[in-house]
Amino acid sequence: MASPEVIRFAKAISRTASWSLSFYPQPFLNLRRRSTSGCTPAFPFINVLGFISYLISTTTFFASPTIRHQYAIRNPSAPTPTVRLNDVVFALHGVFLSTLGWSQFSKRIWGFAQGTQSVGRTMWGIAIGCLFAIFAMTIFVASRRPGFGYDACCGWAWIDVIYGIGYVKLLITVIKYVPQVHTNYMHQSTVGWSIMQILLDLLGGVLSVLQLIIDSQLQGDWSGVTGNPVKFGLGNVSVAFDVVFMLQHYVFYRKARLTEKEPPGDEVVDEERTRLLGRRPDE
């Protein structure tokens, strides 16, 4: 029978592979269709900020002596953060692929047909609000008396800034799927939205939670879960939204998927193209 360490390593690699692979189906689907209709640009836009936040959070918990020391002070029974190298690699990979996905909504770069969706003021407002909150928290900790930001026992410390950055990723994970769920509902269709990325994301979310539980069990203390709420929350939130997308794809809008009816965005683009070419749509 495999040792717990081997099982933990296998689950970590499997989770990272599943979540990493989940980035590829949508860009390839957009490339094959030469269109981004059916998708909302709000998803990749806010995802870029989310993964930059996650990259900063995981990198500091993994490699920063200051943050790891402050974590040990606050979690004496389990002083080692449950962040692994695969978490850092995954975050870096996520930044790159999210940026690539967002770039596909630029007609100047890719030349893809575009739907009528936009990022929207709400997502822009959330992004700006998150950046302002992190900036204000950083200034607050840095402006305290000398050494304050390095003493985790005296209240606010640099680890709280990193926690704040991590919570940005958690917040974005909670909200980033909402525009796409709404878009699918308005179109009564999931055409243009890759279900394969959802299936891989579901597998990654389940394995992420299992990895965190196994890590905490091996340490003999569940503060590994409470001390890393971002990672625990990410897995559970991802699973919940993946279930919603699966219901939309396989149950609620199954008929539209089977008939491959394009969402309204493509119809608008086609009409504009035919007017510019001076032809009737039926020619």
Side-chain angles (χ1 to χ4, degrees):
M1 183 177 180
S3 66
E5 288 78 9
V6 173
I7 295 176
R8 179 178 63 183
F9 176 77
K11 288 187 179 297
I13 296 300
S14 300
R15 189 267 301 184
T16 303
S18 298
W19 262 351
S20 296
L21 290 174
S22 70
F23 285 97
Y24 290 91
Q26 189 64 54
F28 275 111
L29 179 61
N30 294 342
L31 184 63
R32 179 175 62 83
R33 298 172 68 235
R34 304 293 299 175
S35 171
T36 58
S37 64
C39 302
T40 170
F43 177 79
F45 162 75
I46 204 70
N47 224 13
V48 173
L49 176 59
F51 273 102
I52 291 176
S53 301
Y54 191 51
L55 178 61
I56 295 173
S57 176
T58 54
T59 301
T60 51
F61 271 112
F62 179 75
S64 171
T66 298
I67 300 303
R68 291 177 70 87
H69 173 67
Q70 292 179 357
Y71 181 90
I73 292 175
R74 293 190 177 181
N75 301 275
S77 57
T80 304
T82 52
V83 175
R84 309 298 176 193
L85 179 59
N86 63 283
D87 295 312
V88 178
V89 173
F90 168 72
L92 183 61
H93 177 266
V95 171
F96 175 76
L97 266 297
S98 296
T99 304
L100 175 65
W102 187 27
S103 74
Q104 290 188 324
F105 286 86
S106 172
K107 196 166 187 177
R108 179 177 298 179
I109 297 175
W110 293 88
F112 291 173
Q114 306 291 317
T116 58
Q117 296 289 321
S118 63
V119 172
R121 295 180 179 179
T122 300
M123 283 299 178
W124 275 109
I126 291 173
I128 294 172
C130 288
L131 292 174
F132 178 79
I134 295 302
F135 176 77
M137 188 181 299
T138 303
I139 294 298
F140 175 78
V141 173
S143 64
R144 307 296 288 185
R145 65 181 185 271
F148 181 87
Y150 297 92
D151 190 353
C153 295
C154 297
W156 286 87
W158 289 119
I159 191 173
D160 296 302
V161 176
I162 300 304
Y163 273 134
I165 295 174
Y167 280 123
V168 168
K169 170 58 178 170
L170 182 57
L171 171 64
I172 288 175
T173 299
V174 172
I175 65 171
K176 71 179 183 179
Y177 294 109
V178 175
Q180 188 62 50
V181 172
H182 181 260
T183 296
N184 293 346
Y185 170 75
M186 295 301 294
H187 291 168
Q188 294 290 290
S189 170
T190 59
V191 174
W193 177 248
S194 173
I195 191 61
M196 182 56 66
Q197 68 176 331
I198 299 303
L199 299 178
L200 290 169
D201 189 67
L202 175 63
L203 179 60
V206 171
L207 292 176
S208 175
V209 174
L210 287 177
Q211 179 193 349
L212 192 59
I213 292 174
I214 291 174
D215 284 345
S216 299
Q217 186 179 30
L218 290 176
Q219 290 181 351
D221 191 284
W222 290 102
S223 61
V225 174
T226 58
N228 193 359
V230 173
K231 187 175 178 180
F232 186 71
L234 286 177
N236 284 285
V237 171
S238 295
V239 168
F241 273 102
D242 290 338
V243 171
V244 172
F245 282 122
M246 290 171 66
L247 288 174
Q248 286 186 324
H249 187 80
Y250 292 112
V251 181
F252 301 145
Y253 313 135
R254 179 172 178 270
K255 184 177 180 180
R257 174 174 60 86
L258 293 178
T259 57
E260 286 295 315
K261 181 181 179 181
E262 291 291 337
D266 274 349
E267 297 170 5
V268 173
V269 171
D270 289 341
E271 291 175 4
E272 292 179 350
R273 184 184 297 117
T274 53
R275 284 200 301 269
L276 290 173
L277 295 176
R279 296 180 303 180
R280 295 192 305 272
D282 57 350
E283 290 181 338

